[in-house]
Amino acid sequence: SAPRTAHGCGSGALLGRFGVLLQGLLALCAFSTLMLKRLREPKEERRPWRIWFYDTSKQAIGALFIHFANVFLSDLTEEDPCSLYLINFALDATLGMLLIWLGVEVVSWIVQHKKYAYLVFGEYGDPPQAAAWIGQCILYLLIMVFEKSVISLVLLIPGWTKLQQILLGYIPNPQMELVLVMFVVPFIVNAIMFWVVDSLIMRKYKQKDTLDISGSMETPQALRTEESQVLLSPDVDFDQSESDQDISGLHGRNQKMKQPSYQVVI
């Protein structure tokens, strides 16, 4: 293994006192974007605090898993852990986002096909059930495990070492490098990721789908079909009654025309 460069982070720097302080500040600032997102939702579609907590806590669990996995992987070698963490984070924010979207779409299709109503992301029942939240947290954590496993396999491809050597080589101060890697870049990227993922796993109010406890679904198309049948049926009856009246009137006039006329001669 190659020796560490003088300007790189030292071993254990990510979990040192300064590193932990930066990570706590990062978590506070990053999740404040989810609070801002809730405040920007339309009032008629704004989630109650309990539903918002259920939605965002899934992201918190997944983000903590990814973060500590990156910290663990960054300290496995003798290379600069800051640059290794930045590479892991960059892959999570690009290829990882695609994998998360794919995982959410596949899981959502499976649970809707199997009619597991409480496992649909964002649906917790009425009133909201903690069991539904726990089940969705487990599903989302499995998606995170899948995403991190694929990213770890990608890191085994040769060529990342050269990128690591030039990624942060222009920063001579280890603490400045730690601030850039553990706070500045993750805050910007996490704010975008949290916003996008929250839109993926929250309840889709615009669809106006209805779910009952048994898992049956009424789609908007079905509702429109029933409404159209109800709206059209009076018109059909009205048209039929009008046509019957016209026909009966026509028969009445014909019968009057066919009746013979008599004249009385005195």
Side-chain angles (χ1 to χ4, degrees):
S1 59
R4 291 187 191 272
T5 56
H7 63 270
C9 294
S11 178
L14 300 181
L15 292 177
R17 182 177 299 178
F18 186 61
V20 172
L21 178 63
L22 289 176
Q23 294 171 49
L25 185 61
L26 169 66
L28 181 63
C29 295
F31 281 101
S32 64
T33 60
L34 294 174
M35 183 80 69
L36 176 63
K37 183 177 183 296
R38 181 187 179 276
L39 295 177
R40 289 181 59 86
E41 293 174 356
K43 290 185 178 181
E44 64 274 8
E45 298 179 2
R46 186 172 297 170
R47 292 167 287 179
W49 283 110
R50 187 175 182 181
I51 301 298
W52 178 85
F53 171 76
Y54 281 169
D55 287 341
T56 56
S57 58
K58 293 196 289 286
Q59 283 208 71
I61 295 172
L64 287 175
F65 169 77
I66 294 296
H67 172 74
F68 286 113
N70 289 341
V71 172
F72 173 76
L73 293 174
S74 300
D75 265 335
L76 284 181
T77 66
E78 294 296 327
E79 302 292 337
D80 179 12
C82 285
S83 58
L84 276 176
Y85 182 89
L86 187 59
I87 291 174
N88 274 279
F89 187 81
L91 288 175
D92 288 330
T94 52
L95 178 60
M97 274 298 301
L98 178 61
L99 295 174
I100 292 172
W101 172 81
L102 180 63
V104 170
E105 291 295 321
V106 171
V107 169
S108 299
W109 181 84
I110 292 175
V111 297
Q112 289 183 6
H113 182 70
K114 297 294 184 180
K115 296 183 179 180
Y116 298 145
Y118 282 159
L119 293 181
V120 176
F121 286 124
E123 296 287 349
Y124 307 102
D126 188 16
Q129 302 293 325
W133 169 70
I134 294 174
Q136 294 177 32
C137 284
I138 294 174
L139 287 179
Y140 188 73
L141 187 58
L142 290 176
I143 295 174
M144 295 296 103
V145 172
F146 165 73
E147 183 267 343
K148 197 64 218 175
S149 300
V150 175
I151 296 299
S152 300
L153 293 176
V154 172
L155 284 173
L156 297 178
I157 300 175
W160 294 107
T161 305
K162 294 181 179 179
L163 177 62
Q164 177 188 345
Q165 292 174 355
I166 63 175
L167 194 60
L168 298 173
Y170 58 90
I171 301 178
N173 191 340
Q175 288 191 341
M176 186 181 297
E177 182 177 343
L178 194 61
V179 170
L180 180 65
V181 170
M182 298 298 294
F183 181 74
V184 177
V185 175
F187 170 69
I188 297 174
V189 178
N190 273 330
I192 300 174
M193 289 180 62
F194 287 163
W195 199 291
V196 173
V197 175
D198 186 60
S199 300
L200 289 175
I201 64 177
M202 68 180 290
R203 181 183 177 186
K204 305 301 186 295
Y205 289 93
K206 294 182 179 180
Q207 293 180 358
K208 302 297 182 184
D209 293 346
T210 57
L211 285 170
D212 57 16
I213 297 177
S214 62
S216 62
M217 300 183 75
E218 255 189 2
T219 61
Q221 184 177 1
L223 294 175
R224 288 194 299 267
T225 303
E226 293 180 359
E227 291 177 356
S228 62
Q229 292 177 354
V230 173
L231 292 175
L232 286 176
S233 57
D235 296 339
V236 174
D237 296 339
F238 178 75
D239 294 339
Q240 290 178 352
S241 61
E242 273 190 342
S243 60
D244 293 340
Q245 291 178 0
D246 294 340
I247 294 174
S248 61
L250 182 59
H251 282 303
R253 287 194 298 269
N254 291 335
Q255 289 177 358
K256 289 181 179 179
M257 293 175 63
K258 291 181 180 179
Q259 288 180 356
S261 59
Y262 298 94
Q263 294 181 356
V264 180
V265 179
I266 299 178

